[in-house]
């Protein structure tokens, strides 16, 4: 079957690329970006009971309402159906680097758990969290890295329907943000 042939060819290319900077650069940027994002999530968003967009935002919703002790595990579990959905749609090497990214982001969420960034002003906390999460994500997206989540969904929509990745991010991010608005008072 054609899929199996492509998978075999891509596997060989992936093995060859393991010794190159081209493979490791996105992984390193995912590590740096994930740590920045995780510090923002654990250090600002959670202490202020704020939400985020994307799969991390859905993870926060589940975390707040389920009482699960680990947002990292929630994030990891929510990514499983995304990888199943994306398996045949995107390249094998992107799936592998994204899977590594999910492990890195999950680990980052666990390592930074308990960190609190003292921000007493709610507006300043929201602005700082937005800057840090945007910067953290932007670092690895810029070089083609991925930490799973909406990165994969947006790439599939871009490939199949020519929808820009940013448009997909905005459309899907409306879901957790709307849930937060409906569940909580919007007054600051």
């Amino acid at each position: 079957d054609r899929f199996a042939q492509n998978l075999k060819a891509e596997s060989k290319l992936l093995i060859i690329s393991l010794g190159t900077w081209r493979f490791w650069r996105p992984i390193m940027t995912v590590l740096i970006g994930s740590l920045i994002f995780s510090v923002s999530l654990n250090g600002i968003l959670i202490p202020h009971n704020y939400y985020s967009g994307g799969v991390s935002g859905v993870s926060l919703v589940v975390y707040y309402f389920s009482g699960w002790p680990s947002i990292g595990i929630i994030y990891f579990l929510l990514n499983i159906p995304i990888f199943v959905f994306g398996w045949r749609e995107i390249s094998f090497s992107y799936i592998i680097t994204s899977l590594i990214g999910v492990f890195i982001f999950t680990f980052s969420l666990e390592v930074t758990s308990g960190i609190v960034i003292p921000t007493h002003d709610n507006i300043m906390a929201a602005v700082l969290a937005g800057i840090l999460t945007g910067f953290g994500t932007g670092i690895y997206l810029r070089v083609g890295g991925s930490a799973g989540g909406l990165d994969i969904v947006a790439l599939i929509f871009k490939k199949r329907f020519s929808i820009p990745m940013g448009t997909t991010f905005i459309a899907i991010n409306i879901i957790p943000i709307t849930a937060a608005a409906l569940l909580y008072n919007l007054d600051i």
Side-chain angles (χ1 to χ4, degrees):
D1 134 92
R2 186 171 183 224
F3 176 74
Q5 290 174 343
N6 286 342
L7 185 62
K8 186 175 180 180
E10 285 189 43
S11 297
K12 286 180 183 178
L13 290 174
L14 178 65
I15 291 169
I16 292 168
S17 74
L18 287 176
T20 67
W21 177 244
R22 183 173 176 235
F23 175 81
W24 290 104
R25 181 176 181 218
I27 301 296
M28 297 306 295
T29 58
V30 167
L31 177 63
I32 294 165
S34 292
L35 284 169
I36 293 168
F37 192 110
S38 297
V39 165
S40 175
L41 192 141
N42 283 314
I44 301 171
L45 296 178
I46 290 176
H48 285 275
N49 291 318
Y50 288 169
Y51 284 84
S52 178
V55 175
S56 61
V58 175
S59 299
L60 281 170
V61 171
V62 173
Y63 175 78
Y64 290 146
F65 289 103
S66 72
W68 277 27
S70 172
I71 192 161
I73 299 302
I74 297 168
Y75 181 82
F76 180 81
L77 292 174
L78 290 175
N79 267 283
I80 292 171
I82 293 171
F83 276 90
V84 170
F85 177 63
W87 179 253
R88 287 187 173 256
E89 296 293 325
I90 55 181
S91 74
F92 180 69
S93 62
Y94 192 79
I95 286 285
I96 294 301
T97 56
S98 296
L99 189 58
I100 292 168
V102 168
F103 282 115
I104 289 171
F105 190 62
T106 300
F107 178 75
S108 295
L109 287 168
E110 296 301 312
V111 169
T112 60
S113 178
I115 288 177
V116 176
I117 298 174
T119 48
H120 303 292
D121 180 85
N122 289 334
I123 300 285
M124 182 57 74
V127 169
L128 183 58
I131 290 169
L132 290 174
T133 57
F135 183 70
T137 304
I139 286 173
Y140 63 79
L141 286 179
R142 185 177 173 109
V143 297
S146 171
L150 287 186
D151 305 352
I152 293 174
V153 175
L155 190 63
I156 292 168
F157 280 36
K158 180 181 178 186
K159 180 181 174 185
R160 281 197 150 205
F161 308 111
S162 299
I163 298 172
M165 290 179 73
T167 303
T168 302
F169 282 128
I170 290 169
I172 295 176
N173 282 336
I174 289 171
I175 297 167
I177 302 303
T178 302
L182 294 173
L183 295 170
Y184 291 99
N185 184 358
L186 293 179
D187 291 338
I188 294 181

